[in-house]
Amino acid sequence: MSKATVLTGITTTGTPHLGNYVGAIRPAIAASQRDDVLPCYFLADYHALIKCQEPERVRQSSLEIAATWLALGLDTANAIFYRQSDVPEIMELTWILTCVTAKGLMNRAHAYKAAVAENEQTADNDADKGITMGLFSYPILMAADILMFNAHRVPVGKDQIQHIEMARDIAHRFNHIYGEHFVIPEAIVDEKAATLLGLDGRKMSKSYDNTIPLFESEAKLKKLINKIKTNSLEPGEPKDPETCTLFSIYQAFARPVEVAEIRQRYAEGIGWGEMKKILFTHINEQIAPARDRYHALLQAPEHIEQELQAGAQKARAMAQPLLKEVRQAVGIAPIKG
Ligand code: TRP
């Protein structure tokens, strides 16, 4: 059976939170158990440098993200789990792709355009202020991540769709000039994957500072859940689950029968204190075993490093033949007598 390569990267700048878990990590780990896919999941540490110039944070985030995926049961016998920077072929391909990428294509990238637009609002009106070439050409690095493994499917959030379209453009351009070498990747946006709300009722996101870290201690998890904003209805008054942050988070962790039961309790006027207790117990039960494994892994970082090294070996075994072919195609080759 020929397997579809499913590839996605996680930028190593933060600590995983519950929103990352239900929106990306949980579905990715579930997908990795299917035997018709070859999952390639990686720590995008060279992407981290675009947003973050704090070495300690990049290092710590790489460790935490790797430990998180392993603790949650990513099966590294089936999936290829690696660190981008351990696969130098990706960087080499980045340059080759840079040379076929139109500058005009990069000009259209949302992230770059937003940075320019923000600069144009300021008094000194310097459109380029604070914009590095890393930010500008970041979609090319992302294209190389994907094309290096001839990935068929790339699960991403909506904000990343444009980057996949750019990777497709770049692949087409290369194939047009040099012959068919790259698979044209497809973005997979999981509409069913839950978007979790955060402490303040907006989407849970690091940029809103409203997250609940995935593997905080039990006490801290309880404290944060108690901080989730609710309205001021008293116990006994009927409540609307559909506009309730607690309910929306509960849904992401509960089975349909449990959700139906809680819906009924809302109609009967469940108190916020009690609902928070139920939510805490529910989430805690689900993540406690992984949390224990996570903390054990952090005590044994050499085990994490071993996993990443083994993953890098498998990744390079895939990347090397394709890079060789691509170098040959563009005329970078040994001189023959
Ligand atoms: N840019 C992606 C993000 O910020 C992470 C990423 C890097 C990625 N390389 C990738 C995702 C390749 C999919 C494929 O979320």
Side-chain angles (χ1 to χ4, degrees), residues 4-24:
T5 301
V6 175
L7 176 143
T8 199
I10 312 98
T11 306
T12 54
T13 47
T15 298
H17 55 70
L18 288 180
N20 300 139
Y21 172 62
V22 303

Side-chain angles (χ1 to χ4, degrees), residues 19 28 79 99 123 152 198 223 239 268 274 299 301 325:
C99 295
H152 302 93
K223 210 165 138 192
K239 299 179 174 63
E268 293 163 8
E274 185 176 0
Q299 294 307 307
E325 180 189 315

Side-chain angles (χ1 to χ4, degrees), residues 297-315:
L297 278 163
L298 290 186
Q299 294 307 307
E302 63 291 347
H303 175 73
I304 302 175
E305 184 58 31
Q306 260 170 27
E307 286 279 4
L308 290 172
Q309 290 303 326
Q313 261 187 28
K314 289 197 272 179

